[in-house]
């Protein structure tokens, strides 16, 4: 999570970071952005490429596996993946810059490729659905979800480690989940797991057929079947194979093998979750159960969430 995002030099960083996974390596150069921070920037457009508004957007959910989904999709030769979370449709200051500014932050792509952007904050934004529809009413949306209770704990874990790294005080998860003996439903991590509430907002602007839901829990356990469903949804030829993945015993999850290179998600992914008081955990699960049932009815499918 970015604390004090308006105070961060995001605007200059966005203008500098024109990294494109689609561009051949001879057109990309490493740029030093300061101590401990580098980025690959495209020096000139690869011949035959151009920039396009996304054909598909991974709209969320936060801590649902959006980074894993994007990097696994990037294996596909017909996918050009945006390198940064742009936050165009959920941050007013970025949206005010206009669609041309947004398109310039997309990667260079060839005519046979589709451009994909991911910003997990879109799913819980009240404004993002209407704004995305204004750009492209027929766009294909990808929503990756995981067990909402586990998502809350993962959300807390990310903030916990971020605060430790920035030498800020931290609280035990129970102190955030419960206030005065009752579940603290004003806690943002819990509100982000009200999948039914957020989904209703999206369905006001897009038909369900334009939103493909990826099972984030299954993607981690067995990536290929979920990615094959995404290929079909995006009308991509089947190019992702089981040989593109290998299980890393040390990390405890699947890593990616592509074009002779092996890579795993950033070390911040897969951090161990804190042990949560069993009574508090059950209280959280019970509260989310009705939201889950409502969500199942909305999307006409169910998931193995506790």
């Amino acid at each position: 999570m970015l604390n004090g995002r308006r105070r961060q030099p995001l605007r200059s960083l966005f203008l500098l970071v024109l990294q494109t996974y689609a561009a051949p390596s001879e057109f990309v150069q490493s740029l030093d952005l300061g101590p401990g921070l580098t980025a690959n920037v495209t020096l000139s457009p690869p011949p035959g490429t151009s920039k396009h508004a996304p054909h598909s957007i991974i709209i969320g959910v936060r801590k649902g596996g959006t980074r894993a989904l994007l990097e696994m999709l990037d294996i596909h030769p017909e996918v050009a993946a945006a390198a940064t979370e742009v936050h165009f449709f959920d941050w007013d200051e970025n949206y005010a810059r206009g669609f041309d500014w947004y398109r310039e932050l997309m990667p260079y792509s060839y005519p046979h490729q589709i451009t994909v952007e991911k910003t997990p904050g879109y799913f819980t934004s009240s404004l993002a659905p209407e704004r995305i529809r204004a750009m492209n009413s027929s766009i294909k949306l990808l929503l990756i979800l995981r067990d909402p209770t586990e998502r809350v704990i993962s959300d807390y874990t990310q903030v916990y480690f971020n605060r430790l790294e920035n030498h800020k005080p931290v609280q035990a998860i129970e102190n955030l989940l419960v206030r005065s003996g009752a579940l603290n439903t004003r806690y943002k991590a819990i509100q982000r797991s009200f999948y039914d509430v957020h989904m209703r907002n999206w369905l006001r602007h897009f038909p369900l057929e334009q939103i493909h839901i990826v099972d984030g829990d299954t993607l981690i356990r067995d990536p290929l079947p979920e990615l094959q469903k995404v290929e079909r949804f995006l009308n991509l030829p089947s190019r992702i194979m089981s040989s593109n993945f290998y299980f890393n015993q040390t990390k405890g999850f699947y890593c990616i093998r592509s074009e002779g290179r092996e890579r795993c998600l950033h070390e911040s992914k897969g951090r161990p979750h804190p042990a949560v008081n069993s009574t508090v955990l059950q209280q959280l699960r019970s509260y989310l159960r009705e939201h889950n049932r409502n969500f199942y009815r909305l999307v006409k499918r169910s998931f193995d969430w506790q």
Side-chain angles (χ1 to χ4, degrees):
M1 183 179 74
L2 289 172
N3 294 320
R5 65 182 183 235
R6 290 177 176 82
R7 296 192 297 272
Q8 299 296 326
L10 285 173
R11 295 183 179 89
S12 59
L13 180 60
F14 282 148
L15 293 175
L16 286 171
V17 180
L18 299 178
Q19 178 181 359
T20 168
Y21 296 161
S25 58
E26 60 265 29
F27 295 98
V28 175
Q29 176 173 304
S30 180
L31 177 68
D32 185 359
L33 299 179
L37 183 61
T38 60
N40 291 333
V41 296
T42 304
L43 298 178
S44 60
T49 66
S50 58
K51 293 185 177 186
H52 301 275
H55 303 82
S56 179
I57 300 178
I58 301 173
I59 58 174
V61 64
R62 171 185 162 107
K63 305 312 296 177
T66 58
R67 172 55 59 183
L69 177 59
L70 185 72
E71 294 204 11
M72 290 175 178
L73 269 181
D74 191 41
I75 296 169
H76 201 291
E78 296 187 17
V79 169
T84 60
E85 292 180 5
V86 181
H87 287 281
F88 179 64
F89 298 103
D90 60 334
W91 289 5
D92 291 342
E93 61 268 35
N94 286 343
Y95 190 71
R97 291 173 172 265
F99 288 119
D100 290 341
W101 179 86
Y102 177 58
R103 185 176 59 250
E104 280 304 305
L105 297 176
M106 294 301 108
Y108 288 104
S109 61
Y110 293 99
H112 67 281
Q113 293 180 308
I114 66 169
T115 298
V116 179
E117 186 241 314
K118 79 101 174 172
T119 299
Y122 291 161
F123 182 58
T124 56
S125 166
S126 61
L127 297 173
E130 183 178 2
R131 289 172 170 178
I132 292 176
R133 181 178 173 81
M135 179 188 70
N136 181 359
S137 62
S138 61
I139 195 168
K140 294 192 172 186
L141 304 171
L142 296 170
L143 172 62
I144 180 167
L145 301 174
R146 62 190 293 198
D147 183 307
T149 300
E150 293 301 314
R151 198 219 63 79
V152 170
I153 301 170
S154 184
D155 197 319
Y156 164 84
T157 302
Q158 175 174 301
V159 175
Y160 175 86
F161 279 102
N162 284 347
R163 292 185 70 85
L164 282 183
E165 291 166 3
N166 289 297
H167 309 290
K168 294 183 177 181
V170 296
Q171 295 187 61
I173 188 171
E174 290 85 357
N175 294 341
L176 295 169
L177 291 174
V178 176
R179 292 286 167 84
S180 302
L183 194 69
N184 179 20
T185 57
R186 299 183 66 181
Y187 179 32
K188 286 185 178 180
I190 293 179
Q191 292 183 347
R192 293 186 185 107
S193 280
F194 295 164
Y195 296 160
D196 59 327
V197 173
H198 307 303
M199 193 68 185
R200 284 192 191 96
N201 189 32
W202 284 90
L203 292 175
R204 291 187 188 102
H205 300 277
F206 292 96
L208 183 60
E209 293 72 26
Q210 278 178 238
I211 307 174
H212 177 72
I213 300 173
V214 179
D215 187 328
D217 298 307
T218 302
L219 184 76
I220 296 302
R221 292 193 305 266
D222 188 11
L224 185 59
E226 287 299 310
L227 290 166
Q228 289 174 331
K229 293 174 188 175
V230 173
E231 284 180 322
R232 291 192 290 270
F233 175 70
L234 297 178
N235 295 319
L236 292 169
S238 180
R239 294 288 184 271
I240 301 175
M241 302 175 289
S242 58
S243 59
N244 289 127
F245 307 100
Y246 67 97
F247 190 80
N248 186 303
Q249 294 288 349
T250 302
K251 292 182 175 292
F253 53 76
Y254 279 91
C255 296
I256 298 168
R257 182 185 291 118
S258 178
E259 298 180 343
R261 295 185 299 112
E262 295 182 350
R263 67 182 189 275
C264 291
L265 296 178
H266 189 268
E267 61 183 12
S268 65
K269 307 299 181 182
R271 283 169 169 161
H273 288 177
V276 183
N277 177 278
S278 59
T279 301
V280 173
L281 188 61
Q282 185 56 43
Q283 193 174 0
L284 177 61
R285 289 195 189 282
S286 297
Y287 186 87
L288 290 175
R289 198 161 288 132
E290 184 61 28
H291 283 284
N292 295 346
R293 285 194 287 261
N294 291 337
F295 180 76
Y296 298 161
R297 285 192 288 267
L298 285 173
V299 301
K300 300 177 174 59
R301 62 180 284 195
S302 60
F303 295 83
D304 294 328
W305 299 334
Q306 295 186 40

